[in-house]
Amino acid sequence: MKKRFALDIALVLGLGIATSVAMGWMSWRSDTSAVAAQFHDEVAERAGLLDRQLVLDLGVLHSLKVLYDTSEDVSRQDFSTVAMGILKRHPNVQALEWIPKVPHEERPAYETSARSDGYRDFQITQRASQGQMIQAEVRPHYFPVYFVEPLVGNELAVGFDLASSSTRLHALVDSQNSGRLLATASITLVQETGDQKGFLGLLPIYDGAPTSATERTRLLRGFVLGVFRIGDIFQSASPRKLPGDRGHVAISLIDESAGAGNAVLHRQSLTDDSRLVHQFSYRKALKDVAGRHWAIVATPTGDYISAQRSWAPLIALLVGLTFTALLSVYLRLISTRTAQVERLVERRTNELQEANTALEKYTIDLEHSNRELQSFAHVASHDLQEPLRKVQMFGDRLMERCSGELSEQGQDYVARMHSATSRMQTLIDDLLAFSRVTTKNQSLEVVDLARIAKLVLSDLETRIEQTGGTVHVNDLPTIHADRTQMHQLLQNLIGNALKFHRPGQPPIVKVHGSILNGKGGNGVQDMDGQAVFELTVQDNGIGFEEKYRDRIFTIFQRLHGRSAYEGTGVGLAVCRKVAERHGGDISVNSVPSQGSTFVVRLPISHSAEEEM
Amino acid sequence: MGDTGNSFTLLMAEDDPDDRLLIKEAWEENQFANELHFVEDGEELMEYLQHRDKYANGVDALRPGLILLDLNMPKKDGREALKEIKTDPNLRQIPVVVFTTSSAEEDIVRSYDTGANSYITKPVTFKALIEVLRILRTYWLETVELPPQKA
């Protein structure tokens, strides 16, 4: 029993833990997707902000272009005024420049003009291989930095010929031919003092509105140029609320149109890159950035992910495990309880068995005692009667043979002795009858009570005649009973009714039988709902006081002296025994000097009903 | 009327000396000339009938015309003796009247089953005893026809 429960509990425990872990894992996975989705949203938001910032910053070149669209000859002063205004509003713009297209023949004029504007050492320059600025080589066209705002910090750039740098020239040509605002690939700015990368935005200015590349080359006046430091733009497009600022996300800005090795424009890295979780890396392309394709790639750290995660997976696991634990404890309790109940049942069974054994022993004892009683009946019938008979007989002989020799007193003694012996004879006979009712096995058969009553009346004929009595017998049925005992019952009840008549009052005895069909009809209580045969024997005799109603059914109990009414006090005890042996009872109602009514009630078995 | 007359012997098996005395007196009271012989238990009864032991010479043991048999006796009781008599081809023709104090239904039925010819409960008064013995003698000696006696 115990083993079976242990197995059950282990099974529940195993299944419970497995289910809990599975639930936790599934919840973990869905949570991971949710965290990733949220991270992507944040990265996309950052990309959007960067897009907007770039449009805003690059847009300043269009504002500057208006200056050249409206005037054929823009003075240094004009440029300075407009550029200063723009720079004030766009702090990310490092510098604004005017790059005129200078044919070689006009080079001296430009240099002279600039010097007259205040740049005393102005000349068109290029960067030497060692890094220092030198006079530019002779080329068909120059694209020098002619106006620059602010000047402070950009002094080195003034006069620098952009055509001398292949990266810059490339952008210049592309911009000139497309007529569009173009950005260069990332460059190290001439003005750069830190390690930031920068780029240049170029917007071509033409005379009129050329439509083809050839026309554009011919009509090109120059470029308005913006110098942008990528780091600054990136910073100003970084919202405070985004996680990048918390140091938990590494972000790179990449120029994907720079060919192999995708040039990294900017990197916001962390102090400890080992904590990055690369499987969460997310790339988001920016919108077209002045002809270039940029993208940001963000990678979160484990800390970032942990912070975003919900408690759901852990809760699912804990709830599952708790439930499993509780279920196991509950099962354990049940198994303990079951074991207790089983032990209790076992104990009760043992007790019951002991009780049964005791009962068996008791039954055996009872049978033994019944046998003893039977042998007593035998002893009473034979061995006790034998000497009694002798006393009677020798008494007879004494009277017959020696009466002449006996005095009158002697004869009286013998007569009294004789009377005593016949009384003892009756007593023994009655006792025998009583003990037979108790010990003899009943043989139930169909008994016609009316016939029995007739036999009884013929036995009692002498007494009826002597007393001048009448006996009315009505409605006695046929029932299933012991014939001899029914005879005794009627004999004793009717005999008593005749015997105990009032002096000078002839007895009238009414014997009546009826069948009560259970269910407590007629105001009479039924016996467990069974049909009942009720026998009533009513007389108009001497009756007795209520207080004796139980006593009269006890053996040898008499209410009268022998001289008044003969008898041994066994008759009614026999009647009660007969009623009880048939599963019924006997009761009496009596009023002194008016009469008694005896009622015997016997349950009728089903087999008996069928026979009737 | 039988003509066996005085040769009719009544054999009584009775263990109780009081009863033997009473029956003897009652028999004498009737002034019967026929012999009344007593045996005291079932064992002696069978010895008498089969001429064994103390009845070996056969002279004292005339074949009885009627046996009165008490049921409750020592050594061998009346029930066993009755059974032996009624299964013995030489003896079973002898009428046996059970004469006992028992009025138990069981004893009555069993006795007749075993072959008893009558069953009488011992009378309670001496007068009745005299009467019963008279009737018995008249009936078995004068009224009924019995098979001729064997040797």
Side-chain angles (χ1 to χ4, degrees), chain A residues 14-162:
Chain A
L15 276 174
I17 290 172
T19 310
S20 304
V21 169
M23 267 166 54
W25 185 69
M26 277 159 65
S27 176
W28 171 269
R29 276 194 24 155
S30 92
D31 194 52
T32 302
S33 320
V35 169
Q38 195 192 338
F39 180 64
H40 295 174
D41 286 350
E42 287 183 7
V43 173
E45 190 184 345
R46 175 180 283 271
L49 286 169
L50 204 53
D51 278 335
R52 220 177 110 247
Q53 193 62 49
L54 283 166
V55 168
L56 281 174
D57 288 341
L58 284 168
V60 301
L61 294 179
H62 288 287
S63 310
L64 203 54
K65 179 174 179 269
V66 175
L67 185 64
Y68 289 89
D69 285 347
T70 50
S71 167
E72 280 293 311
D73 189 18
V74 178
S75 70
R76 196 173 290 270
Q77 189 58 48
D78 295 341
F79 181 86
S80 176
T81 309
V82 173
M84 285 290 274
I86 290 172
L87 286 172
K88 219 176 212 171
R89 281 175 279 122
H90 296 272
N92 293 331
V93 183
Q94 199 67 28
L96 289 171
E97 295 170 8
W98 165 242
I99 315 292
K101 181 183 176 186
V102 180
H104 181 65
E105 57 272 19
E106 291 179 24
R107 178 177 174 176
Y110 270 88
E111 287 179 345
T112 312
S113 170
R115 282 181 194 133
S116 68
D117 280 346
Y119 297 98
R120 283 186 290 130
D121 301 325
F122 183 87
Q123 61 175 345
I124 293 177
T125 57
Q126 67 181 56
R127 200 185 285 272
S129 55
Q130 285 83 22
Q132 77 275 29
M133 290 300 183
I134 53 167
Q135 192 173 18
E137 290 166 9
V138 173
R139 277 183 285 270
H141 293 97
Y142 305 95
F143 289 96
V145 176
Y146 199 61
F147 298 159
V148 63
E149 197 64 45
L151 181 62
V152 180
N154 286 323
E155 292 90 347
L156 271 179
V158 175
F160 178 67
D161 178 15
L162 270 57

Side-chain angles (χ1 to χ4, degrees), chain A residues 268-376:
Chain A
Q268 174 180 297
S269 45
L270 307 175
T271 46
D272 182 11
D273 277 359
S274 67
R275 304 223 359 103
L276 291 179
V277 182
H278 289 283
Q279 76 191 74
F280 276 90
S281 278
Y282 184 64
R283 169 192 163 276
K284 175 73 184 172
L286 299 186
K287 287 177 188 156
D288 181 83
V289 182
R292 301 200 76 86
H293 303 294
W294 289 8
I296 56 176
V297 174
T299 306
T301 62
D303 292 342
Y304 170 84
I305 295 165
S306 305
Q308 302 299 308
R309 280 194 184 284
S310 69
W311 289 97
L314 192 62
I315 287 170
L317 182 67
L318 285 179
V319 165
L321 289 178
T322 308
F323 181 72
T324 304
L326 286 178
L327 195 64
S328 302
V329 168
Y330 178 66
L331 275 179
R332 171 92 184 94
L333 285 178
I334 282 184
S335 78
T336 310
R337 180 90 191 104
T338 305
Q340 277 174 351
V341 169
E342 275 166 1
R343 273 201 300 279
L344 196 68
V345 167
E346 203 176 325
R347 209 170 66 217
R348 289 275 185 277
T349 309
N350 284 342
E351 283 171 6
L352 206 63
Q353 240 151 19
E354 279 166 23
N356 268 347
T357 313
L359 201 65
E360 263 168 40
K361 189 178 171 296
Y362 182 69
T363 308
I364 289 168
D365 287 351
L366 208 62
E367 276 168 8
H368 185 67
S369 128
N370 267 353
R371 272 201 301 277
E372 279 182 347
L373 211 61
Q374 267 172 320
S375 82
F376 163 77

Side-chain angles (χ1 to χ4, degrees), chain A residues 378 381-382 385-386 389-390 392-394 396-397 400-401 418 425 436, chain B residues 16 18-19 21-22 25 29 72 101-102 122-127 129:
Chain A
H378 182 79
S381 74
H382 185 262
Q385 287 192 89
E386 193 67 30
R389 196 170 50 80
K390 303 275 180 57
Q392 283 176 299
M393 279 212 179
F394 286 113
D396 286 351
R397 295 302 288 147
E400 218 162 283
R401 296 285 288 270
H418 195 267
Q425 182 69 47
R436 278 208 188 107
Chain B
D16 190 312
D18 294 337
D19 271 335
L21 174 64
L22 287 166
E25 284 190 12
E29 199 93 347
N72 300 309
T101 42
S102 165
K122 283 177 186 171
V124 181
T125 62
F126 190 73
K127 251 187 205 137
L129 181 61

Side-chain angles (χ1 to χ4, degrees), chain A residues 514-518 524-535 600-604 609:
Chain A
S514 58
I515 304 245
L516 308 176
N517 271 318
V524 182
Q525 278 199 326
D526 53 285
M527 291 177 165
D528 301 331
Q530 233 182 336
V532 169
F533 161 62
E534 191 177 89
L535 171 73
V600 178
R601 302 196 308 145
L602 308 177
I604 297 173
E609 275 179 312

